[in-house]
Amino acid sequence: MDNQLKRGLLDVCVLAAIKSEDSYGYKIIKDMKPYIELSESTLYTILKRLETAGMLNVKTAEHNGRLRKYYHITNEGLTRIEEFKEDWNEIMAIHSFITREDEK
């Protein structure tokens, strides 16, 4: 798969994983695991990119004596998810065009 496309898809997956509630790294990986395998290093790169883009806010809180970063989706992040849903219709149309010969 094209790296740029995959990167964009993973970004939206991470946003979707925290859409309904704030979350932290390990929980995000755990929640995504039934759908996609994601390493910690990849996740934290994505989280940093999304934070820099204004799609996430980060707060640090103590949990069991340790500091943990919690990620909260912003309005920009929610907008990105909605844009992806609209884009997906176009992607599916392109897929249908590309595979039309396979259906004959």
Side-chain angles (χ1 to χ4, degrees), residues 29-56:
I29 289 172
K30 185 178 154 197
D31 290 346
M32 291 177 67
K33 192 169 189 158
Y35 306 97
I36 187 165
E37 199 71 33
L38 193 63
S39 71
E40 282 187 45
S41 61
T42 300
L43 173 65
Y44 288 107
T45 300
I46 293 168
L47 290 169
K48 186 63 179 167
R49 181 170 55 244
L50 293 172
E51 180 186 7
T52 300
M55 294 185 205
L56 296 178

Side-chain angles (χ1 to χ4, degrees), residues 5-47:
L5 177 59
K6 186 173 183 178
R7 185 172 115 173
L9 292 172
L10 290 176
D11 286 1
V12 175
C13 287
V14 170
L15 290 170
I18 63 170
K19 181 180 175 184
S20 61
E21 66 178 341
D22 294 357
S23 194
Y24 54 94
Y26 176 76
K27 186 172 184 323
I28 294 168
I29 289 172
K30 185 178 154 197
D31 290 346
M32 291 177 67
K33 192 169 189 158
Y35 306 97
I36 187 165
E37 199 71 33
L38 193 63
S39 71
E40 282 187 45
S41 61
T42 300
L43 173 65
Y44 288 107
T45 300
I46 293 168
L47 290 169

Side-chain angles (χ1 to χ4, degrees), residues 51-81:
E51 180 186 7
T52 300
M55 294 185 205
L56 296 178
N57 289 327
V58 182
K59 75 174 185 181
T60 303
E62 190 173 325
H63 177 77
N64 292 334
R66 297 178 56 194
L67 291 179
R68 178 184 279 172
K69 285 186 176 182
Y70 287 88
Y71 298 89
H72 174 80
I73 194 167
T74 64
N75 286 334
E76 289 85 357
L78 293 171
T79 298
R80 179 62 195 110
I81 291 173

